[in-house]
Structures are given as structure tokens and as C-alpha cells.
Amino acid sequence: MAAVSSQDDDDADADKSNDGSFESALNALFSPLHQSTTKEAIAKAAQRRTSTVNDMRLYWSCLSDVPQKPNKRKMIHITGTKGKGSTACFCESIVRTHGCSTGLFTSPHLIDIRERIRWNGRPVHGNIFSNAYWKIRRDLEASITKLENEDLPVLPGYFRMLTLMAYYILEVMLEVDVLIIEVGMGGRYDATNFWDVTDDSAVVCGVTKLDLDHTRILGNTVELIAWEKGGIFARDKADTVKISSKQVTRIEQESDETGAEKSASNYQPPGGAFLLDSNTPGVIAMFQSCAKIEGCGRLDLLLVDATGARLVKALNGRPLGLAGEHQYGNATLAVHLCQAVLPEDNISIENPKTIEGVQSAQWPGRCQVLERQPWTYLLDGAHTLDSMTATVDFFSQQVKQNEECVLIFNCSHERNPIELLRLLLPISISKVYFAKSDSSRPSPVAVPNAKLLLQDQGIAIQSELLEEDEKPTWQETLASVWKHLTAEWGSSTAISCNSSARMVLDDLNANYKPSKVLVTGSLYLVGSILTTVEWTEESSPDIGNPL
């Protein structure tokens, strides 16, 4: 049976080599079979956003040999804007140091798609990945009538398919002890949010710091974004939030006389959500409203100290595995999430195994220091105002006073580059490369020009600093913005535009003395640089073909 595309176009040739290999699975995932590549297809997919949870349930019901409502599920579900991937990484490391197996699903990937689905800290083996893809695909293609009757494409979109694969690999093929799931976007209508929570499950929710991101879809205020993200609290994931709560409780920063944490010690699954207290009062109130909506079950919304003061004290000068002051809050949030999902394991902040877990955590592309002679790369995929603030703090800690650095920068044209670039001005930068990422997601949003961006921010336009081309590239637009900002700052910087990661590094090697190379603004760009310097991770073991 021919596969049905996820968009109405003739893509019969997009999947000729379906030989069951990892390469053919990868080619299919990046083809129009799972990718909406036209404005019409993107718009059609967007219309189904609020149906995502129900759509995912229908897809899952088409799979053979899977539990429709798994028993005794242990899962940590994490949303937020800044730090959710880092928090998930800390959770995974903590759970493993306490002796449990883990499955981690995150996005996006930097180099290899298998980074998104990790088994005990490693990207799943290519054979595991491909076996899951082809098994799920066969089952969906065998259910064509059922899916078409619901007006669903037989093959789901890219992220939906990856989510099905992640749950299938980690729940069915590997049967890990604890699932750690990072939402893709928002939460309420996210593909990861489709599974019911049974009465004997232990599912806890974590919320990191919120910021303005994906505003075109999630809303243009942090309160609206909080409503979207608060949807992961739902016990019945197919409906709106259905958990009641009487109060928001602040977790005690100090332990009681027995060493047990006062607020978290009474936690009983299923239920429980932990929220960093660095969020605004409006955001906290919105999450409280989400938790109070009438329905089945009970949820305690617990505030976590974003300074991580108690963890800092327990570490006693020892570093976290992830650099940056903001990571103490993410690590503290992770400790509470792990304690809640495994209450019998004494996962307290002071437990030596917990300390080992937060120290051994590693998360590529987030405040990453990479030595590649003659350069020291400082890489962070920050792409929001809050995250860039933290990244600049990280850069400042790593760069000596008056040490000249090279900056490699790119960001999505959907973001405001001015507020991001302004934060980088105090760093002593000798040259900026506005580089192209090797890959990026398609966008229906038109690319703005420098004049419009500057006018919107009330910056006086200097015509001699604007791009000369009639239709400048996005990188040339970023260069024009940077020239205006440095002119305001009273400095100037050498600039290069439109180079690929490979071209940038070749130019650095040919023309510059060793110094720090700062890479930020986009995880896609960070991934491009890591690919170019041939940074890799070891895969998980293979398990053969159990299907």
C-alpha cells in the first residue's frame, strides 16, 4: 500500500528507498511525507493544532502490541520557555545515579536526530530508531481507513511521528523505569500530552522560567503562554485541565529536624506540579488557575527556589555539570521532580547520589565549553531575552577581562534580534560572523528588513549602515542591525555575512589568532558548528530486532 502523505502533493518519489534502514527512516522523516513544506501545507497542519492530543491518541490506538493505558507509569513531564531541556537533563542524571533506568525525549537535536530519544543518557542506537519508525509506519498504513474516516493523514507530521516513536521505544521496546518528557511547544496542545494518567501512575509536572517565545502561536503575553503550558497538568490529557487544587505551596528551602523536606515529603502520586518561583506573579497566578479548574484528582502546585540556595550550600563549592548561575534553579527543580516521582528513593538535595547526579549532568549546546585547538568554543543556543541574559553571564564568566573574542551568531527571523544583540555589546568582540545554519524549520512569516526592525525599536536609522542589496539576506539584515547598535554603543566590529559554519571556521583558522569563539542565538547554529568540528556522542547499545 502506498503511504499517504501528510500534505496534498505528489510525493510518491520521496520514499523510494524504504529498506528498513536508519538512513531510509531518516530520509522519510525529512521528506514531505512527514514535513509540511509549502505555505498551504503549513496552514493546514496549523488548523489541527488544537486537535493534536486527540489525533495522537488515535494514532497510538492504531499501533499493535502497545498498552493503551499503561499501569504504574513513572513520568516527569516538563514545560517552560527557558531551561526545560537542562532541567530534563538534570532529572535524567539524578534518576540514573539513584539506580533507575531512564528514557528521555527532548527537542530539537543538534547533530543527530537520535539525540532526541535517549536511553540511559545516550542517543538510542540507529537500529532501535529505525525499527520503531518502520514498525509504527506499517501499523499506521494498515489503518488507512480508520484514519481517513477521521480526516487524519495516514502518516503524521514530523514531531508527532517522533513523539510516537519516543513513547514506543521507551515504553514498549525498552520498558525504562522513568520517562522524562520535554514538551515540544506549549503543552496543552502538544503532541507529548496525549496519554491518560492512571490511578497507580506517578506523573509529575515541572515548569521552568517562562518568557515570550512562539508568540504567534502561544500568545503575546507570558500569562497567555502560561495558560498554554498549564495544559500539561491535566489528568485526562484528551480534555482541558481537569485537576483541582486548593493552594500554591512554597517548598521550604531548609529541611526539618529529620532532614526531610517539609512540603514535598507528603507528596503522593498521581499529581503534583513544581514551578520555579522566578516566574512573574501573573504567571504563577495563571498556573494556579489551571490547577484549580474543577475535575478529577488533586494537584499541589509547589514553588521552587530559583536561586537554588539550598543546593549551592549542599554542593559546597563543587560545580554543577551544566555551567551558568541559572542552572542552580533548574537543578533544584529537577531534584524535586525526581523526589516526587520516586518518593521511596530518598532523593533529597543533600543525598550524595543526588549531588553526583547534578554534577555529572551533560547537555550539549547549553553553556557548553568545548576545547578544539587552537580555539575554546563557548556554545549556547539561547534565543529568548531571558536565556540570552543567562548566556551573556556564562560568557562573561568564561572570558577574561579585555580578552578579545569572535562571535558567531544567527537567530530566527521570527524573533527580535535587536534585544538579543544588545545584550552581547559589553563583551569584547573583535569580529562577528552572521552565519547561516545548515538547517532550520520552515516558516510562513515574512523576513523583515533592518529598517523596519530599527524603526520598531525607535532607533535612528543611518542610511550608510543599512544593507546595500535590494533584497538582503537575513544575515545581512542582522549585520545592519549590529552596525547601528555598535554605533550607539560607541564601538565598531569587523563583520562577515552569509558564510556557512565550515566557511566561518576556515576563515578563523586562516586569519585570526587563538581566542574564545562564542556561538549563540540559535540551536540550529550551535548544531552546525558542532557538526563542523566533528563533535559526536556515543550511542546506546543495540537490542536487536524484537519486532
Side-chain angles (χ1 to χ4, degrees):
M1 180 184 299
V4 177
S5 173
S6 58
Q7 62 188 77
D8 295 331
D9 49 17
D10 184 11
D11 295 312
D13 293 333
D15 191 37
K16 287 182 178 178
S17 180
N18 57 350
D19 56 6
S21 67
F22 172 73
E23 289 74 18
S24 59
L26 194 62
N27 289 338
L29 279 166
F30 285 108
S31 79
L33 292 168
H34 297 283
Q35 297 269 1
S36 298
T37 57
T38 66
K39 287 186 177 180
E40 294 76 13
I42 293 171
K44 187 175 181 180
Q47 291 174 358
R48 294 204 66 93
R49 188 178 85 87
T50 58
S51 303
T52 298
V53 171
N54 284 323
D55 291 351
M56 289 293 293
R57 284 186 160 184
L58 186 58
Y59 282 127
W60 187 260
S61 72
C62 295
L63 307 186
S64 60
D65 74 357
V66 299
Q68 299 304 313
K69 290 191 176 181
N71 294 321
K72 299 183 180 179
R73 162 189 290 279
K74 292 182 181 292
M75 185 175 86
I76 298 171
H77 201 186
I78 301 171
T79 191
T81 306
K82 170 181 158 39
K84 60 183 183 293
S86 298
T87 302
C89 171
F90 280 122
C91 286
E92 184 204 46
S93 186
I94 293 166
V95 169
R96 284 192 287 115
T97 58
H98 280 271
C100 294
S101 64
T102 59
L104 176 64
F105 180 49
T106 61
S107 60
H109 62 275
L110 296 176
I111 297 174
D112 190 322
I113 196 171
R114 296 176 299 114
E115 297 168 25
R116 294 171 177 250
I117 307 173
R118 293 176 180 266
W119 178 25
N120 291 330
R122 297 181 184 178
V124 293
H125 194 281
N127 290 339
I128 297 175
F129 187 95
S130 59
N131 287 340
Y133 174 83
W134 292 110
K135 194 275 180 191
I136 292 172
R137 180 164 164 179
R138 287 193 300 269
D139 284 355
L140 294 179
E141 290 176 338
S143 304
I144 183 171
T145 302
K146 179 179 180 180
L147 294 168
E148 287 185 339
N149 285 342
E150 297 294 331
D151 196 30
L152 266 179
V154 174
L155 295 186
Y158 175 74
F159 186 74
R160 291 183 175 194
M161 186 65 175
L162 284 173
T163 303
L164 289 172
M165 291 172 61
Y167 277 105
Y168 186 81
I169 288 170
L170 302 174
E171 280 277 320
V172 181
M173 295 175 71
L174 301 178
E175 297 182 336
V176 299
D177 296 325
V178 179
L179 271 177
I180 301 153
I181 305 294
E182 175 194 356
V183 302
M185 183 189 300
R188 185 176 301 275
Y189 305 121
D190 190 69
T192 65
N193 203 33
F194 76 94
W195 222 326
D196 275 341
V197 179
T198 56
D199 288 339
D200 55 357
S201 297
V203 178
V204 296
C205 301
V207 184
T208 64
K209 180 71 180 293
L210 264 63
D211 195 4
L212 293 175
D213 196 15
H214 302 297
T215 54
R216 181 172 53 86
I217 297 172
L218 302 181
N220 58 7
T221 69
V222 286
E223 290 78 16
L224 288 173
I225 292 172
W227 182 85
E228 285 269 356
K229 294 181 184 292
I232 70 166
F233 295 168
R235 287 255 341 252
D236 181 355
K237 301 289 191 177
D239 211 331
T240 55
V241 175
K242 281 190 175 180
I243 298 179
S244 60
S245 176
K246 295 182 179 179
Q247 62 181 353
V248 176
T249 304
R250 179 173 293 278
I251 293 178
E252 300 289 345
Q253 295 184 22
E254 301 296 332
S255 57
D256 63 18
E257 295 178 357
T258 67
E261 293 170 33
K262 297 175 184 177
S263 298
S265 60
N266 295 326
Y267 171 83
Q268 294 293 329
F274 297 79
L275 171 66
L276 283 180
D277 67 1
S278 54
N279 282 290
T280 66
V283 165
I284 293 171
M286 178 60 73
F287 278 112
Q288 185 176 15
S289 296
C290 289
K292 282 184 176 180
I293 293 176
E294 292 301 321
C296 60
R298 174 180 176 272
L299 178 127
D300 294 320
L301 187 59
L302 307 173
L303 293 183
V304 175
D305 174 24
T307 70
R310 185 175 161 197
L311 179 59
V312 172
K313 182 178 179 181
L315 284 163
N316 193 27
R318 292 168 291 181
L320 290 171
L322 306 184
E325 292 295 319
H326 61 290
Q327 296 292 7
Y328 289 102
N330 294 330
T332 301
L333 175 61
V335 173
H336 288 299
L337 292 169
C338 294
Q339 182 185 45
V341 82
L342 294 169
E344 68 279 4
D345 284 19
N346 188 30
I347 304 180
S348 66
I349 286 176
E350 289 77 16
N351 188 307
K353 289 184 178 179
T354 304
I355 296 298
E356 179 187 349
V358 297
Q359 284 197 279
S360 59
Q362 296 295 316
W363 196 232
R366 283 78 168 180
C367 293
Q368 181 180 4
V369 180
L370 180 65
E371 298 289 347
R372 284 287 192 275
Q373 292 299 324
W375 310 102
T376 297
Y377 293 90
L378 307 178
L379 307 104
D380 192 87
H383 49 267
T384 69
L385 187 59
D386 268 3
S387 60
M388 186 61 74
T389 301
T391 297
V392 170
D393 288 341
F394 161 64
F395 286 164
S396 300
Q397 292 169 12
Q398 298 290 327
V399 176
K400 298 176 183 177
Q401 188 174 7
N402 298 323
E403 180 180 11
E404 289 194 352
C405 302
V406 170
L407 172 65
I408 307 174
F409 183 91
N410 195 29
C411 68
S412 165
H413 69 265
E414 296 183 21
R415 305 188 187 281
N416 179 356
I418 294 176
E419 63 182 13
L420 301 180
L421 290 171
R422 267 188 174 143
L423 293 172
L424 294 160
L425 289 171
I427 301 174
S428 180
I429 297 170
S430 59
K431 182 166 184 176
V432 180
Y433 291 90
F434 292 105
K436 296 181 291 186
S437 304
D438 294 338
S439 63
S440 63
R441 61 180 176 83
S443 171
V445 178
V447 179
N449 60 44
K451 188 174 181 179
L452 289 175
L453 289 169
L454 294 164
Q455 286 176 336
D456 186 59
Q457 295 295 307
I459 298 173
I461 296 171
Q462 303 180 44
S463 57
E464 68 273 14
L465 300 181
L466 288 174
E467 62 278 356
E468 297 179 358
D469 294 342
E470 184 177 340
K471 291 186 177 180
T473 66
W474 175 238
Q475 285 70 39
E476 289 166 343
T477 296
L478 292 174
S480 293
V481 167
W482 179 258
K483 289 174 186 176
H484 280 79
L485 293 177
T486 52
E488 278 191 339
W489 187 258
S491 63
S492 62
T493 309
I495 295 174
S496 177
C497 296
N498 301 324
S499 297
S500 66
R502 176 76 274 164
M503 294 166 64
V504 168
L505 299 189
D506 286 346
D507 187 64
L508 281 175
N509 283 319
N511 298 306
Y512 286 85
K513 295 178 180 180
S515 66
K516 298 280 175 40
V517 179
L518 316 180
V519 186
T520 191
S522 163
L523 281 168
Y524 292 107
L525 176 64
V526 169
S528 299
I529 296 294
L530 289 174
T531 300
T532 303
V533 300
E534 299 181 347
W535 179 89
T536 59
E537 289 186 276
E538 184 180 355
S539 296
S540 76
D542 193 7
I543 59 171
N545 188 352
L547 307 178

